[in-house]
Amino acid sequence: MNIDSIQNGIVIDHIRSGGAMQLYQLLGLDSLDCPVAIIKNAPSDKMGRKDIIKIDSAQPLNLDVLGFVDPDATINVIRDCALVEKKHAGLPERIRDVLRCRNPRCITSVEPDLPQVFQLANRETKTYRCIYCEAKAEK
Amino acid sequence: MRHLIDIRDLSEREIADLLDLADDIVANREAYREVCKYKKLATLFFEPSTRTRLSFEAAMYELGGQVLGFSEAASSSASKGESVADTIRVVGCYADIIAMRHPKEGAPMVGAMHSTVPIINAGDGGHNHPTQTLTDLMTIRREKGRLSDFTIGLCGDLKFGRTVHSLIAALSRYENVKFVLISPEELKVPSYIKKDILAEQGLPYVQTTELTDVMPQLDVLYMTRVQRERFFNEEDYLRLKDSYILTPEKLRGAKADLTILHPLPRVNEIDTAIDADPRACYFRQALNGKFVRMALIMTLLGLTKEGQA
Ligand SMILES: [Zn+2]
């Protein structure tokens, strides 16, 4: 894989420096069998340093959690080597099976097979709450 | 399928209808004696709470229905590792409606997601206890004749007291309710309640550590228990506990028509000398709890005095 150019896929740019590995986990990229490149501490005019993730696959990806974890990151969609779309991740109404509730009194702490669902409670403060116990989602 | 998991599941209209029905039950008890004949309520108490369970059971018996269930996790299949979802699916085969108490927050909601019969949350950890809130609302409405235009003092443990949090949330929807929050520094109302409920809706509130100072303004005084285990050290507890005990002396400056409430059980936070005072409403409050649960069971089952709704 040429990490500078990909044919079809997604480049997640402007990830806050040090954040790429967490996103790699949360986005479930470890389960993909396409080429994935993580670039850490790339120089950036705006941010000083930033991380970048490049995913060389035309398969659609669920990037819902990105808007919660790193709302400043940009998503660049590449088709036939050309940039066709550049956007920020939005805030989905619900984030499903990505984050775990950390409230030890939550029913999910004793029934780990329950779907882990967080609902957007406040768009301004980007607050998500566990649908069961209403604990705030933590990054 | 309607459930009651959180007091916020109910609109103002629905709360008014429930309280109207509860009032009618009080006035015409005979008329409701067979409304739930041949219906069964399951009380699934994964943690013991005798008071709440008895209130639900008395409510169902008084409607002519029957009751089955368990009163602690050890006597349920949960002790064998069964999930809430499975327990609810099975009990739904036997009962027409379920009242469920569970030590884990959100468990009744999980139950509701898998239930074929209505679920009532009878308390989930420190999270929700909507039938307590309905009881409080019913009592305030019966004593005051309204749910708007009054000043309520909430006194004691305002940090961990979930009944206080739900009551604030429920009352915040009515017109011109002023809140006076009385507690030691250590047990103040959590900031999210102040930010998300009171400030968000521009509701007037006062915070204080002195009960006696604010007593003359109050129309309703809601007392809660200050528990020893909430304090870091015994010294703080001993220093503070007496300031939040209601005594005849502290009542001296109070209005003649003050309504004194307490979710019970009380330990020592209301002097028993006050029990005979006509302003002491906490035992009537416990009685109202049964009536409002009767109204709730009927409503969730779609039953009226005349039969099926
Ligand atoms: Zn939770």
Side-chain angles (χ1 to χ4, degrees):
Chain A
M1 180 190 188
N2 180 343
I3 52 169
D4 287 329
S5 61
I6 57 179
Q7 284 197 320
N8 288 294
I10 287 167
V11 177
I12 306 172
D13 198 358
H14 304 109
I15 300 168
R16 99 194 115 66
S17 174
M21 286 312 292
Q22 188 199 13
L23 275 177
Y24 182 81
Q25 297 292 337
L26 289 175
L27 294 171
L29 302 182
D30 49 342
S31 65
L32 298 179
D33 54 9
C34 64
V36 175
I38 293 178
I39 298 155
K40 285 180 59 174
N41 301 326
S44 159
D45 293 341
K46 261 195 297 186
M47 308 168 65
R49 298 203 294 183
K50 65 179 181 180
D51 290 1
I52 305 168
I53 298 177
K54 298 188 178 193
I55 305 154
D56 202 349
S57 164
Q59 293 293 315
L61 274 175
N62 179 357
L63 298 176
D64 281 355
V65 75
L66 188 57
F68 171 62
V69 177
D70 196 343
D72 296 325
T74 49
I75 300 168
N76 302 280
V77 182
I78 316 286
R79 294 272 176 274
D80 299 323
C81 302
L83 177 67
V84 294
E85 195 184 357
K86 191 178 175 103
K87 59 184 180 187
H88 281 283
L91 289 175
E93 274 305 309
R94 286 189 160 196
I95 300 174
R96 202 184 159 91
D97 288 333
V98 178
L99 308 164
R100 289 207 68 85
C101 182
R102 298 198 197 158
N103 174 5
R105 298 177 309 277
C106 180
I107 183 65
T108 59
S109 70
V110 288
E111 294 200 10
D113 293 341
L114 286 169
Q116 290 274 343
V117 185
F118 287 83
Q119 176 88 35
L120 182 58
N122 188 324
R123 194 167 282 280
E124 246 165 75
T125 57
K126 300 187 177 70
T127 306
Y128 282 85
R129 291 188 182 276
C130 171
I131 62 162
Y132 305 104
C133 72
E134 296 178 79
K136 265 190 197 174
E138 286 172 50
K139 290 176 197 179
Chain B
M1 176 64 49
R2 270 310 290 270
H3 308 282
L4 179 60
I5 302 304
D6 185 322
I7 193 69
R8 292 165 294 179
D9 296 344
L10 297 171
S11 67
E12 251 174 273
R13 179 73 259 159
E14 288 170 318
I15 289 176
D17 288 345
L18 275 170
L19 302 189
D20 289 346
L21 177 56
D23 285 344
D24 193 62
I25 294 172
V26 175
N28 305 289
R29 288 170 75 164
E30 288 291 309
Y32 292 87
R33 266 176 46 183
E34 298 200 334
V35 167
C36 284
K37 202 172 174 186
Y38 307 124
K39 300 281 184 198
K40 283 170 289 192
L41 164 76
T43 48
L44 309 186
F45 277 55
F46 293 86
E47 84 181 341
S49 170
T50 308
R51 189 174 307 270
T52 304
R53 187 170 55 84
L54 293 183
S55 178
F56 271 105
E57 297 189 354
M60 193 57 173
Y61 284 127
E62 205 155 321
L63 291 167
Q66 291 174 310
V67 175
L68 60 159
F70 52 82
S71 54
E72 54 181 326
S75 53
S76 80
S77 43
S79 62
K80 301 190 188 86
E82 187 179 49
S83 67
V84 167
D86 280 6
T87 304
I88 291 298
R89 283 192 192 105
V90 171
V91 173
C93 302
Y94 308 142
D96 301 284
I97 184 166
I98 295 171
M100 173 179 172
R101 188 181 186 100
H102 200 286
K104 291 293 179 183
E105 299 174 6
M109 174 184 263
V110 173
M113 288 166 145
H114 296 277
S115 184
T116 53
V117 301
I119 303 266
I120 301 169
N121 181 358
D124 58 337
H127 186 215
N128 283 316
H129 193 4
T131 57
Q132 178 66 51
T133 310
L134 285 174
T135 302
D136 300 341
L137 293 176
M138 176 180 175
T139 307
I140 293 171
R141 206 180 74 157
R142 280 181 75 82
E143 298 294 330
K144 290 281 167 252
R146 61 186 190 275
L147 282 173
S148 54
D149 303 296
F150 62 86
T151 299
I152 181 168
L154 299 141
C155 178
D157 176 2
L158 306 187
K159 184 174 182 186
F160 299 100
R162 68 175 164 194
T163 55
V164 166
H165 303 165
S166 317
L167 187 57
I168 292 175
L171 286 175
S172 71
R173 299 199 287 193
Y174 297 92
E175 293 288 310
N176 195 26
V177 178
K178 294 193 192 73
F179 297 89
V180 181
L181 311 172
I182 310 144
S183 72
E185 282 297 323
E186 293 85 341
L187 297 174
K188 276 160 59 174
V189 169
S191 60
Y192 76 90
I193 302 259
K194 283 179 272 182
K195 247 194 305 195
D196 295 355
I197 299 176
L198 296 171
E200 171 91 13
Q201 301 177 59
L203 297 171
Y205 71 91
V206 178
Q207 249 179 325
T208 173
T209 55
E210 286 300 323
L211 175 57
T212 321
D213 294 355
V214 293
M215 189 65 90
Q217 328 167 12
L218 305 180
D219 300 302
V220 179
L221 173 58
Y222 196 98
M223 295 294 297
T224 63
R225 198 141 52 97
V226 174
Q227 286 165 285
R228 189 180 298 253
E229 55 268 32
R230 302 298 190 206
F231 288 88
F232 291 116
N233 60 60
E234 186 77 7
E235 225 170 87
D236 284 348
Y237 171 73
L238 293 174
R239 178 171 51 84
L240 287 164
K241 72 175 171 64
D242 291 344
S243 351
Y244 303 94
I245 291 176
L246 189 60
T247 56
E249 198 161 65
K250 290 206 187 84
L251 265 185
R252 235 174 248 152
K255 288 188 182 173
D257 65 346
L258 175 69
T259 297
I260 305 168
L261 301 177
H262 190 299
L264 303 180
R266 116 183 105 176
V267 178
N268 61 352
E269 54 280 357
I270 300 179
D271 191 325
T272 50
I274 291 175
D275 296 355
D277 190 306
R279 292 171 289 188
C281 300
Y282 28 93
F283 292 114
R284 288 205 287 284
Q285 186 183 3
L287 178 63
N288 291 337
K290 180 186 69 178
F291 292 120
V292 86
R293 288 179 177 98
M294 290 169 75
L296 180 64
I297 290 169
M298 281 180 62
T299 303
L300 292 179
L301 287 174
L303 299 170
T304 66
K305 204 166 20 172
E306 292 77 29
Q308 210 78 28

